């Protein structure tokens, strides 16, 4: 069942995903954690279905803060800020800590780790400069930062600054600087990619003529020439 759900995600088959949601409930498969975790990645653009799946995930894994954060992400994408605040209060009431996003890249047999806020990383100034340059280039070509993924009600400029410094973007920038031209960049991430990171990585793969492989918590993404096989639904 998990492999079928992943196939739906890869093919952007949202209607099939909705059908499978009903099938899972009828067959009593909603008690299987991998099934529900995979399902919510497919139906995240449907708030009502995502709420139902999240409720079941909370029952299966009441101490997993990542499930709450995923639901908050879905609400933020829909600009349902009151619901975002409600989920945050749930996290606080249950004394759960959000797991910070972290990305890893291997360069010359050494593993480098990145988080969005890291004052002690000696590479940050250089990485921020490159990302700012790429962001300007992307905006000239029609890119609009997907600031809806930011779970705080801030002004647009601050939201843009936050999304530009997500850990995956930092790892990609590090790979561009420290690998040979044309070399494939391979990254791992402990959370699901946000919409903006996915879009930006597609652009970078095309603009720099690089293949970029990203393994996140749910699946692989293979970016090449501005395209990812997931079809922008993951």
């Amino acid at each position: 069942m998990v492999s079928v759900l992943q196939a739906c995600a890869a093919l952007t088959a949202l209607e099939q995903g909705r059908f499978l949601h009903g099938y899972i409930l009828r067959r009593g498969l909603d008690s299987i954690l991998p099934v529900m975790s995979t399902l919510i990645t497919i139906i995240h653009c449907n708030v009502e279905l995502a709420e139902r799946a999240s409720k079941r995930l909370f029952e299966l894994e009441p101490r997993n803060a990542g499930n709450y954060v995923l639901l908050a992400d879905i609400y933020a994408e829909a600009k349902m800020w009151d619901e975002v605040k409600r989920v945050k209060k749930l996290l606080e009431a249950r004394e759960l800590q959000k797991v910070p996003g972290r990305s890893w890249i291997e360069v010359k047999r050494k593993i480098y780790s990145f988080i969005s806020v890291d004052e002690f990383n000696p590479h940050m100034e250089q990485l921020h400069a490159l990302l700012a340059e790429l962001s300007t280039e992307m905006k000239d070509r029609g890119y609009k930062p997907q600031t809806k993924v930011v779970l705080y009600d801030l002004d647009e400029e601050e939201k843009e600054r936050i999304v530009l410094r997500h850990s995956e973007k930092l790892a990609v920038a590090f790979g561009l600087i420290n690998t040979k031209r044309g070399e494939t960049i391979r990254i791992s991430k402990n959370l699901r990619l946000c919409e903006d990171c996915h879009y930006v990585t597609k652009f970078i793969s095309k603009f720099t003529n690089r293949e970029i492989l990203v393994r996140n918590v749910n699946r692989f993404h293979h970016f090449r020439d501005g395209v990812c096989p997931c079809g922008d639904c993951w």
Side-chain angles (χ1 to χ4, degrees):
M1 177 56 69
V2 172
S3 61
V4 173
L5 288 170
Q6 290 173 335
C8 285
L11 296 172
T12 67
L14 292 179
E15 288 302 323
Q16 289 90 329
R18 294 187 183 99
F19 169 79
L20 284 169
H21 176 259
Y23 178 87
I24 286 167
L25 295 179
R26 290 193 299 273
R27 296 286 180 171
L29 300 176
D30 59 329
S31 61
I32 302 175
L33 183 59
V35 169
M36 297 307 294
S37 297
T38 305
L39 176 65
I40 198 170
T41 66
I42 298 173
I43 60 176
H44 65 86
C45 53
N46 185 310
V47 174
E48 182 181 355
L49 291 181
E51 285 177 326
R52 296 179 191 174
S54 294
K55 182 178 179 180
R56 186 61 178 135
L57 275 177
F58 295 163
E59 295 172 353
L60 294 172
E61 282 190 312
R63 303 299 300 172
N64 186 344
N67 294 332
Y68 297 84
V69 173
L70 180 55
L71 180 59
D73 285 343
I74 292 167
Y75 284 139
E77 288 184 19
K79 296 185 178 180
M80 299 171 64
W81 299 114
D82 287 342
E83 293 302 313
V84 172
K85 292 176 182 177
R86 181 180 65 81
V87 174
K88 287 182 179 180
K89 288 180 179 179
L90 272 177
L91 276 169
E92 294 174 0
R94 298 178 183 183
E95 298 182 342
L96 300 177
Q97 293 291 326
K98 176 184 175 182
V99 177
R102 183 179 294 272
S103 296
W104 297 266
I105 182 172
E106 181 177 357
V107 176
K108 298 177 182 178
R109 298 185 178 182
K110 184 176 180 180
I111 302 295
Y112 295 86
S113 174
F114 297 93
I115 56 176
S116 60
V117 180
D118 189 352
E119 298 177 357
F120 302 103
N121 190 317
H123 307 287
M124 281 301 175
E125 184 175 350
Q126 185 182 25
L127 300 181
H128 290 161
L130 176 57
L131 288 172
E133 181 182 337
L134 289 171
S135 179
T136 299
E137 176 68 25
M138 288 188 293
K139 287 179 179 178
D140 289 343
R141 301 189 182 199
Y143 161 65
K144 294 182 179 180
Q146 301 299 303
T147 57
K148 62 185 179 182
V149 303
V150 178
L151 302 184
Y152 303 95
D153 194 5
L154 305 171
D155 62 61
E156 283 300 304
E157 184 177 350
E158 181 63 14
K159 286 183 178 181
E160 286 188 24
R161 188 189 68 81
I162 290 173
V163 296
L164 190 61
R165 298 184 178 189
H166 279 184
S167 66
E168 186 215 333
K169 294 187 182 78
L170 294 170
V172 170
F174 186 84
L176 291 173
I177 293 170
N178 293 282
T179 59
K180 297 178 182 178
R181 182 183 298 273
E183 185 176 343
T184 298
I185 295 174
R186 294 176 172 83
I187 294 169
S188 297
K189 186 171 183 177
N190 65 334
L191 302 175
R192 173 179 173 268
L193 270 66
C194 79
E195 184 177 346
D196 190 73
C197 282
H198 195 270
Y199 183 94
V200 168
T201 308
K202 286 198 304 179
F203 175 88
I204 291 175
S205 72
K206 183 177 180 65
F207 183 65
T208 63
N209 194 28
R210 295 282 196 117
E211 286 190 47
I212 303 174
L213 304 179
V214 181
R215 176 70 171 100
N216 70 358
V217 68
N218 291 315
R219 60 175 299 162
F220 282 97
H221 293 271
H222 184 184
F223 301 92
R224 180 169 56 185
D225 196 29
V227 177
C228 178
C230 78
D232 298 337
C233 188
W234 63 102

